[in-house]
Every structure is written in C-alpha cells, then in structure tokens.
Amino acid sequence: SRLMGSGPNRPDSATLDLAPHETRVIDVSRDSQSSIGALSIEHSGTGGPLVARAMVQDLRTGYSSTVQFSAPQKGKSSRLEGAGLRLRGPLRESLNSVVVARNVGDAATTLRGRVPYTTADGDGRFVKIAAIRLAPGEAKVIQLDRTSEIDRIPSEVEIAGLEFEHAGAPGSVIMAAQSMSSDGNQVYRVPMWDPLAQRSPTGGYPWYVEGTSSTTVYIKNITRREQKYMAHLVYPSGT
C-alpha cells in the first residue's frame, strides 16, 4: 500500500508492506505552514482487501474528528449530499460550520452548493453558498458563515442539510463537513455522500441509550417529490 499526504508546499509519501490481517498505525507528519491537507491511499490488492481509518486531534483544545475515505472511481454522479448539519449546540449556542472540498480529478472544476432547511412551520427553504473554483488536486476550506447567507437562517432552526454539485466527472470531488463549538471541544461531523453510489438506501446502525449516551438519526429527502420513511428499532425482546 502507498500512503500520501499532500499540502500546498510538498507531498509526503510512504510505501508499506502489510502482511495478511496486519494492522499498522501511521503518525502522519504535518507541515506547520499548511492549514489544510489531504490523504490518499493506493493499494495493490483487488476489490476491498484494505480497510483504512484516519483520525485528527488537537490536544490543546480537545478537538478530535475522523477522516472519511472514499473511492473516486466508484462515483456515480456529480452531487454530494449531507444530512444533520448542526447550526446550534445542546444549549442553543452558535456553532461554526466548515466544509472542506478537494478536487481529485485531472481538470479544474466549479463547485456550487446550498444549505436547505425546514422552518418551524414546515416550509422548506435554502441559502446559497458562493461558487468555489478548484484546480486539479486542490483542496479548499469553505467557512459557511463567510460564503453564504447562513446567518439569515431563523434562530429556531437547529438542523440543516448540505447539497453540492460540481462540473467535473462523477467522483472527482470529495468533501468533508462538520460543525464545532468556538473552543473546538464539541465536534459534529456530517458525512458527505454521492447519493447514487450508495449500496443501500437504508442501514442497520447501533443505537446507544445507556448511561449518558444518546443517538440521533437525521433523515433527508434528496429528491424533488414527497417520500415515506419507515424506521425499525430492534432490541433483545422484540422490534
């Protein structure tokens, strides 16, 4: 396998030989002059023999998050969707919403997006995000409060969605999104997915309610017509 980290100044790469069922932890060096980077992994196997996870943390603030890997060649559309963008925290404090976009294609592309939300009256509305130009291999940070009218969303709205569309080939743009508190200690990640590349429109996920744990499910209709949704909770004594 080959691990590559890229920044604005220089790429760093390493080649690893993994034995069957071997797990390796790699401490990726960070260029102190770069504010954003990217990770790319290529392996010599076929299908899905390699599972990769990446994590980032800042011990000074308590910030931590995960990096979502994707296979660009499996892209089916030029869209990326996210559900559960938190605009406010548990105490209704404002959160900073940040989106990172990277062009992994061979041609420059333009990325356009919007933040859809539902008002207390049930009306569906949205705010636009300023168009972003991405050169081949380029990654950019999108501060939503600076590039859109997100501050005009009514204060009672706590949750919104994310919708992006680009002019490149399917799978040529990958994205990550999150909301975090001003001190960086509370982080709410928003997975960004190609809606046509999903293996299943549903899922089976652990539901934690023990002790102080809680689970929240975000449901977003990405189509232009009304949809019906059914959820099942499975527990030891029934459904």
Side-chain angles (χ1 to χ4, degrees):
S1 64
R2 184 165 63 93
L3 172 65
M4 177 181 293
S6 62
N9 298 324
R10 58 176 177 80
D12 292 327
S13 62
T15 300
L16 303 175
D17 293 322
L18 295 178
H21 305 290
E22 181 183 2
T23 299
R24 190 85 62 87
V25 178
I26 308 167
D27 186 6
V28 180
S29 61
R30 179 182 183 275
D31 188 340
S32 60
Q33 297 181 355
S34 62
S35 60
I36 181 176
L39 288 171
S40 297
I41 295 178
E42 297 179 6
H43 62 88
S44 59
T46 59
L50 181 69
V51 177
R53 298 287 185 269
M55 292 155 282
V56 293
Q57 65 175 347
D58 186 343
L59 297 178
R60 298 170 301 174
T61 63
Y63 172 90
S64 64
S65 187
T66 58
V67 178
Q68 174 184 326
F69 283 95
S70 61
Q73 67 273 17
K74 294 184 178 181
K76 301 296 184 181
S77 73
S78 296
R79 295 167 52 200
L80 287 162
E81 303 263 358
L85 176 69
R86 297 194 63 145
L87 304 178
R88 289 164 183 83
L91 302 179
R92 298 192 58 78
E93 70 275 19
S94 296
L95 300 175
N96 300 318
S97 300
V98 179
V99 178
V100 179
R102 182 189 180 200
N103 180 5
V104 297
D106 298 327
T109 188
T110 299
L111 182 67
R112 293 180 172 84
R114 65 180 192 171
V115 181
Y117 64 94
T118 303
T119 66
D121 298 330
D123 294 333
R125 301 178 184 177
F126 65 88
V127 293
K128 289 185 177 181
I129 300 173
I132 302 294
R133 184 74 171 174
L134 292 172
E138 184 179 15
K140 285 185 177 179
V141 176
I142 307 170
Q143 298 281 355
L144 293 186
D145 54 346
R146 300 176 187 175
T147 61
S148 68
E149 299 178 345
I150 196 170
D151 56 343
R152 296 188 180 182
I153 296 179
S155 59
E156 67 269 14
V157 178
E158 298 182 359
I159 304 296
L162 286 171
E163 298 176 354
F164 285 90
E165 189 168 0
H166 59 89
S172 61
V173 173
I174 58 177
M175 304 188 73
Q178 61 184 228
S179 295
M180 55 186 174
S181 57
S182 57
D183 61 3
N185 191 46
Q186 299 294 324
V187 182
Y188 305 93
R189 191 171 70 90
V190 184
M192 300 295 295
W193 302 103
D194 178 346
L196 300 186
Q198 300 307 298
R199 290 175 294 179
S200 171
T202 62
Y205 306 99
W207 183 280
Y208 294 103
V209 292
E210 295 87 354
T212 59
S213 299
S214 63
T215 297
T216 302
V217 177
Y218 302 106
I219 306 169
K220 182 178 185 294
N221 181 5
I222 64 171
T223 70
R224 297 183 179 275
R225 58 189 178 91
E226 182 176 322
Q227 301 285 343
K228 292 184 178 180
Y229 180 86
M230 181 177 295
H232 296 274
L233 295 182
V234 181
Y235 53 97
S237 58
T239 301

